[in-house]
Amino acid sequence: MTASVVVVGSANMDLVVATPTLPRPGETVLGESFTTVPGGKGANQAVAAARAGARCHFLGAVGLDAFGDELKGCLATAGVELDGLRRVVGPSGVALIAVDAAAENLIVVAPGANAQFTVLDAVDRELIESCDVLLCQLEIPLDTVAQAAAAARAGQTAFILNAAPARPLSAGLLALVDVLVVNQTEAAVLAGLDGGRDASRADNVPELLAGLLAAVPRVVLTLGAAGVAYADRDGTRLEVGAPPVAAVDTTAAGDAFTGAFAVAWAQGRPVEEALRWACAAGAACAQHWGASTSLPLRPDIDALYERAYQPQP
Ligand code: RIB
């Protein structure tokens, strides 16, 4: 049977400027092209999971504005099921993004409609209970994430939390997590290391993994182009390198990784295989411009996975 993933999360319209260099605080730089691209960590991960082969549902909110129409259209075109999408009075979420020549980005999100997504009803809870995996991020109210997590626990649905953007979380919410996916900054915030801005401690992968395993049973620590580190309470420790690619824009590479990982987890694939396959999805995404526009289809993930990780004849 096709694996099912339900994403409870955000949708944003990304307003993206390409620039030779990213500005420092107080600096103005002259950029190049400007584009609008449907994004938002929740919507990106829903599109990523659908393109990676899952039956995917999205619960979230967009405004009754033109951006809301476009965000809905993007999700529908990707095959994401939208019975739980709310249209609310007010603007849709927006992300201001600058991408530099080295494919790095800066992102600021104005939550808009995402902040109005505060209540899950009985139909939402039943849907979560019926799916293989619940996938959340932190661009919607934390109480909504907690409601979704409680429904997942009630239905024995696996709960994967991508704790992005970084926010401190309660022990009660973390206790419901089956797999935590974080980058080093997010991990440092959750582990309470100087607000996540102490670079030397955020670089200490074993310290981060050990700190997080006190709160959750499994941790995936994403390391950008270097790949990921994984640890669980059964003592498994894995390091998986990412396939080397020519990166154009790393926006949504983490979403491609997390969406694909959720699909592999829902399918019950062994963890090392799931991590490699998800790394292939993230690397494939970084080769293209934009958020939803760059999320790979399953055959593209499979091709990069085979090339990077399978012995060549
Ligand atoms: O992860 C990338 C996403 O972060 C962008 O699409 C932007 O909308 C922000 O949510």
Side-chain angles (χ1 to χ4, degrees):
M1 209 166 64
T2 307
S4 55
V5 174
V6 53
V7 177
V8 176
S10 60
N12 301 323
M13 185 56 72
D14 293 351
L15 312 184
V16 191
V17 176
T19 172
T21 54
L22 297 174
R24 288 167 299 194
E27 186 185 15
T28 301
V29 296
L30 274 184
E32 295 161 347
S33 63
F34 168 72
T35 43
T36 58
V37 184
K41 294 186 194 302
N44 291 342
Q45 291 179 25
V47 170
R51 289 190 183 160
R55 176 162 190 195
C56 185
H57 304 261
F58 178 71
L59 302 183
V62 297
L64 283 167
D65 54 3
F67 284 167
D69 294 341
E70 213 178 317
L71 291 166
K72 184 176 176 188
C74 170
L75 286 156
T77 302
V80 176
E81 305 206 16
L82 294 175
D83 292 346
L85 181 72
R86 282 87 164 149
R87 300 298 301 264
V88 301
V89 176
S92 295
V94 163
L96 303 182
I97 303 182
V99 181
D100 75 8
E104 289 300 332
N105 62 47
L106 284 178
I107 304 180
V108 182
V109 174
N114 298 300
Q116 295 190 55
F117 180 32
T118 53
V119 178
L120 296 183
D121 61 24
V123 176
D124 300 325
R125 289 195 296 274
E126 267 172 40
L127 173 64
I128 292 168
E129 289 179 27
S130 73
C131 286
D132 298 313
V133 166
L134 164 69
L135 179 55
C136 291
Q137 317 73 30
L138 301 180
E139 287 185 336
I140 59 172
L142 288 183
D143 188 57
T144 311
V145 176
Q147 292 173 53
R153 182 55 59 98
Q156 296 184 309
T157 299
F159 176 33
I160 300 177
L161 177 64
N162 175 213
R167 297 167 76 173
L169 298 175
S170 69
L173 177 59
L174 288 169
L176 298 173
V177 171
D178 291 294
V179 187
L180 180 71
V181 180
V182 280
N183 66 22
Q184 285 162 283
T185 309
E186 293 147 5
V189 169
L190 286 180
L193 302 182
D194 192 24
R197 294 183 188 279
D198 180 340
S200 60
R201 297 190 78 187
D203 278 348
N204 189 331
V205 171
E207 183 185 11
L208 290 174
L209 291 172
L212 293 172
L213 282 181
V216 297
R218 298 170 199 85
V219 179
V220 177
L221 185 62
T222 60
L223 305 168
V228 297
Y230 170 88
D232 65 31
R233 285 183 183 159
D234 295 332
T236 305
R237 299 286 182 274
L238 297 168
E239 285 177 16
V240 173
V245 293
V248 171
D249 177 8
T250 54
T251 308
D255 298 330
F257 173 91
T258 307
F261 179 77
V263 175
W265 196 262
Q267 292 169 333
R269 291 168 78 171
V271 64
E272 187 164 18
E273 185 182 312
L275 292 168
R276 287 177 168 179
W277 197 67
C279 279
C285 173
Q287 292 175 292
H288 302 279
W289 179 260
S292 57
T293 42
S294 64
L295 298 165
L297 290 161
R298 183 176 194 101
D300 301 321
I301 305 173
D302 285 341
L304 191 50
Y305 171 83
E306 296 290 330
R307 206 165 70 226
Y309 300 113
Q310 301 303 311
Q312 301 299 312

Short mmCIF file of all heavy atoms in Angstrom, two decimals, residues 10-15 37-42 44-45 93-97 105 107-109 139 162 164-165 250-255 290-292, ligand 1:
data_model
loop_
_atom_site.label_atom_id
_atom_site.label_comp_id
_atom_site.label_asym_id
_atom_site.label_seq_id
_atom_site.Cartn_x
_atom_site.Cartn_y
_atom_site.Cartn_z
N SER A 10 3.22 25.19 7.60
CA SER A 10 3.08 26.53 7.01
C SER A 10 3.10 26.49 5.48
O SER A 10 3.60 25.55 4.87
CB SER A 10 4.27 27.38 7.45
OG SER A 10 5.47 26.77 6.99
N ALA A 11 2.55 27.57 4.92
CA ALA A 11 2.72 27.84 3.48
C ALA A 11 3.07 29.32 3.36
O ALA A 11 2.39 30.16 3.97
CB ALA A 11 1.46 27.51 2.72
N ASN A 12 4.10 29.64 2.61
CA ASN A 12 4.50 31.04 2.39
C ASN A 12 4.72 31.30 0.91
O ASN A 12 5.15 30.40 0.18
CB ASN A 12 5.85 31.35 3.06
CG ASN A 12 5.85 31.11 4.55
OD1 ASN A 12 4.86 31.35 5.22
ND2 ASN A 12 6.97 30.61 5.06
N MET A 13 4.47 32.54 0.51
CA MET A 13 4.95 32.94 -0.81
C MET A 13 6.35 33.50 -0.62
O MET A 13 6.57 34.39 0.21
CB MET A 13 4.04 34.01 -1.42
CG MET A 13 4.43 34.37 -2.84
SD MET A 13 4.51 32.96 -3.97
CE MET A 13 2.79 32.59 -4.19
N ASP A 14 7.32 32.93 -1.34
CA ASP A 14 8.71 33.37 -1.22
C ASP A 14 8.98 34.50 -2.21
O ASP A 14 8.74 34.36 -3.42
CB ASP A 14 9.67 32.21 -1.50
CG ASP A 14 9.60 31.12 -0.44
OD1 ASP A 14 8.94 31.34 0.60
OD2 ASP A 14 10.22 30.06 -0.65
N LEU A 15 9.47 35.63 -1.70
CA LEU A 15 9.87 36.77 -2.53
C LEU A 15 11.39 36.74 -2.57
O LEU A 15 12.04 37.04 -1.56
CB LEU A 15 9.35 38.08 -1.94
CG LEU A 15 7.87 38.10 -1.53
CD1 LEU A 15 7.47 39.49 -1.04
CD2 LEU A 15 6.96 37.68 -2.68
N VAL A 37 8.03 32.61 -5.61
CA VAL A 37 7.99 31.15 -5.70
C VAL A 37 7.19 30.62 -4.52
O VAL A 37 7.47 30.99 -3.37
CB VAL A 37 9.42 30.55 -5.63
CG1 VAL A 37 9.38 29.04 -5.84
CG2 VAL A 37 10.35 31.19 -6.62
N PRO A 38 6.20 29.73 -4.73
CA PRO A 38 5.51 29.14 -3.60
C PRO A 38 6.48 28.37 -2.71
O PRO A 38 7.35 27.63 -3.21
CB PRO A 38 4.51 28.17 -4.26
CG PRO A 38 4.28 28.75 -5.62
CD PRO A 38 5.62 29.32 -6.02
N GLY A 39 6.35 28.59 -1.39
CA GLY A 39 7.25 27.93 -0.44
C GLY A 39 6.59 27.77 0.91
O GLY A 39 5.38 27.58 1.00
N GLY A 40 7.40 27.91 1.95
CA GLY A 40 6.95 27.62 3.31
C GLY A 40 7.40 26.21 3.66
O GLY A 40 7.24 25.29 2.85
N LYS A 41 7.96 26.06 4.85
CA LYS A 41 8.54 24.74 5.18
C LYS A 41 7.50 23.63 5.14
O LYS A 41 7.78 22.52 4.69
CB LYS A 41 9.24 24.80 6.54
CG LYS A 41 10.46 25.72 6.52
CD LYS A 41 11.24 25.68 7.81
CE LYS A 41 12.22 26.85 7.87
NZ LYS A 41 13.17 26.87 6.75
N GLY A 42 6.28 23.92 5.62
CA GLY A 42 5.25 22.88 5.62
C GLY A 42 4.84 22.49 4.21
O GLY A 42 4.82 21.31 3.85
N ASN A 44 6.44 23.05 1.42
CA ASN A 44 7.58 22.43 0.71
C ASN A 44 7.70 20.95 1.07
O ASN A 44 7.92 20.10 0.19
CB ASN A 44 8.90 23.12 1.08
CG ASN A 44 9.01 24.53 0.54
OD1 ASN A 44 8.28 24.91 -0.37
ND2 ASN A 44 9.92 25.32 1.10
N GLN A 45 7.58 20.65 2.35
CA GLN A 45 7.75 19.25 2.75
C GLN A 45 6.59 18.38 2.28
O GLN A 45 6.76 17.19 1.98
CB GLN A 45 7.96 19.17 4.27
CG GLN A 45 9.31 19.76 4.65
CD GLN A 45 9.62 19.78 6.14
OE1 GLN A 45 9.09 18.97 6.90
NE2 GLN A 45 10.51 20.67 6.55
N GLY A 93 1.12 33.88 4.42
CA GLY A 93 2.50 33.98 4.89
C GLY A 93 3.42 34.37 3.74
O GLY A 93 3.19 34.01 2.58
N VAL A 94 4.43 35.15 4.08
CA VAL A 94 5.41 35.61 3.08
C VAL A 94 6.82 35.40 3.63
O VAL A 94 7.05 35.60 4.83
CB VAL A 94 5.18 37.11 2.78
CG1 VAL A 94 6.39 37.72 2.09
CG2 VAL A 94 3.94 37.30 1.92
N ALA A 95 7.74 34.99 2.77
CA ALA A 95 9.15 34.88 3.17
C ALA A 95 9.99 35.77 2.26
O ALA A 95 9.87 35.69 1.03
CB ALA A 95 9.62 33.44 3.07
N LEU A 96 10.78 36.65 2.87
CA LEU A 96 11.75 37.46 2.12
C LEU A 96 13.06 36.68 2.08
O LEU A 96 13.60 36.33 3.14
CB LEU A 96 11.96 38.81 2.80
CG LEU A 96 10.72 39.67 3.00
CD1 LEU A 96 11.10 41.00 3.64
CD2 LEU A 96 10.00 39.91 1.68
N ILE A 97 13.54 36.40 0.88
CA ILE A 97 14.73 35.53 0.74
C ILE A 97 15.76 36.20 -0.16
O ILE A 97 15.42 36.73 -1.22
CB ILE A 97 14.33 34.16 0.13
CG1 ILE A 97 13.25 33.48 1.01
CG2 ILE A 97 15.55 33.27 -0.03
CD1 ILE A 97 12.84 32.11 0.52
N ASN A 105 21.63 31.34 1.59
CA ASN A 105 20.49 32.25 1.65
C ASN A 105 20.31 32.88 3.02
O ASN A 105 20.88 32.42 4.01
CB ASN A 105 19.21 31.52 1.22
CG ASN A 105 18.88 30.36 2.13
OD1 ASN A 105 18.91 30.49 3.34
ND2 ASN A 105 18.58 29.21 1.55
N ILE A 107 16.74 34.20 5.18
CA ILE A 107 15.27 34.13 5.08
C ILE A 107 14.63 34.80 6.29
O ILE A 107 15.03 34.53 7.43
CB ILE A 107 14.78 32.66 5.01
CG1 ILE A 107 15.44 31.91 3.85
CG2 ILE A 107 13.26 32.61 4.90
CD1 ILE A 107 15.02 30.45 3.71
N VAL A 108 13.66 35.68 6.04
CA VAL A 108 12.81 36.23 7.11
C VAL A 108 11.36 35.94 6.74
O VAL A 108 10.94 36.23 5.62
CB VAL A 108 12.99 37.76 7.25
CG1 VAL A 108 12.13 38.27 8.41
CG2 VAL A 108 14.45 38.12 7.49
N VAL A 109 10.62 35.36 7.69
CA VAL A 109 9.23 34.98 7.42
C VAL A 109 8.26 35.90 8.17
O VAL A 109 8.43 36.13 9.37
CB VAL A 109 8.98 33.51 7.85
CG1 VAL A 109 7.50 33.15 7.72
CG2 VAL A 109 9.83 32.56 7.02
N GLU A 139 6.82 26.74 11.91
CA GLU A 139 6.38 28.02 11.36
C GLU A 139 4.90 28.27 11.61
O GLU A 139 4.32 29.19 11.03
CB GLU A 139 6.68 28.10 9.85
CG GLU A 139 8.16 28.29 9.56
CD GLU A 139 8.46 28.48 8.09
OE1 GLU A 139 7.66 28.05 7.24
OE2 GLU A 139 9.51 29.06 7.79
N ASN A 162 10.57 18.40 12.32
CA ASN A 162 11.67 19.22 11.81
C ASN A 162 11.60 20.54 12.57
O ASN A 162 10.76 21.39 12.25
CB ASN A 162 11.49 19.41 10.30
CG ASN A 162 12.52 20.33 9.69
OD1 ASN A 162 12.24 21.05 8.74
ND2 ASN A 162 13.74 20.33 10.21
N ALA A 164 12.35 23.54 12.79
CA ALA A 164 12.83 24.70 12.06
C ALA A 164 11.67 25.64 11.77
O ALA A 164 10.59 25.16 11.40
CB ALA A 164 13.46 24.25 10.73
N PRO A 165 11.85 26.97 11.94
CA PRO A 165 13.05 27.62 12.47
C PRO A 165 13.23 27.33 13.96
O PRO A 165 12.27 26.91 14.62
CB PRO A 165 12.77 29.11 12.22
CG PRO A 165 11.29 29.22 12.15
CD PRO A 165 10.79 27.93 11.60
N THR A 250 20.35 26.64 -2.15
CA THR A 250 20.09 25.62 -1.12
C THR A 250 18.72 25.81 -0.45
O THR A 250 18.36 25.03 0.43
CB THR A 250 21.18 25.64 -0.03
OG1 THR A 250 21.29 26.98 0.48
CG2 THR A 250 22.51 25.17 -0.58
N THR A 251 17.95 26.83 -0.85
CA THR A 251 16.61 27.02 -0.28
C THR A 251 15.78 25.74 -0.48
O THR A 251 15.73 25.22 -1.60
CB THR A 251 15.87 28.20 -0.97
OG1 THR A 251 16.71 29.34 -0.94
CG2 THR A 251 14.55 28.50 -0.27
N ALA A 252 15.19 25.26 0.59
CA ALA A 252 14.31 24.08 0.57
C ALA A 252 15.06 22.75 0.44
O ALA A 252 14.42 21.70 0.39
CB ALA A 252 13.23 24.16 -0.52
N ALA A 253 16.40 22.77 0.42
CA ALA A 253 17.13 21.49 0.39
C ALA A 253 16.82 20.69 1.65
O ALA A 253 16.63 19.47 1.61
CB ALA A 253 18.63 21.74 0.25
N GLY A 254 16.72 21.39 2.79
CA GLY A 254 16.35 20.71 4.04
C GLY A 254 14.92 20.18 3.97
O GLY A 254 14.62 19.12 4.54
N ASP A 255 14.05 20.89 3.28
CA ASP A 255 12.66 20.41 3.14
C ASP A 255 12.60 19.19 2.24
O ASP A 255 11.83 18.26 2.49
CB ASP A 255 11.78 21.53 2.57
CG ASP A 255 11.73 22.74 3.49
OD1 ASP A 255 11.84 22.57 4.71
OD2 ASP A 255 11.60 23.87 2.97
N GLY A 290 14.94 28.10 -6.31
CA GLY A 290 13.64 28.25 -5.68
C GLY A 290 13.30 27.15 -4.69
O GLY A 290 14.09 26.21 -4.48
N ALA A 291 12.11 27.27 -4.08
CA ALA A 291 11.68 26.31 -3.06
C ALA A 291 10.87 25.19 -3.71
O ALA A 291 11.43 24.18 -4.16
CB ALA A 291 10.88 27.03 -1.98
N SER A 292 9.55 25.36 -3.84
CA SER A 292 8.72 24.28 -4.41
C SER A 292 9.16 23.91 -5.81
O SER A 292 9.02 22.76 -6.24
CB SER A 292 7.25 24.71 -4.43
OG SER A 292 7.11 25.91 -5.15
O1 RIB B 1 12.90 26.03 4.02
C1 RIB B 1 12.71 26.98 3.04
C2 RIB B 1 11.48 27.78 3.34
O2 RIB B 1 11.67 28.51 4.52
C3 RIB B 1 11.12 28.83 2.30
O3 RIB B 1 10.31 28.30 1.28
C4 RIB B 1 10.48 29.93 3.12
O4 RIB B 1 9.13 30.11 2.83
C5 RIB B 1 10.71 29.54 4.57
O5 RIB B 1 9.58 28.99 5.14
#
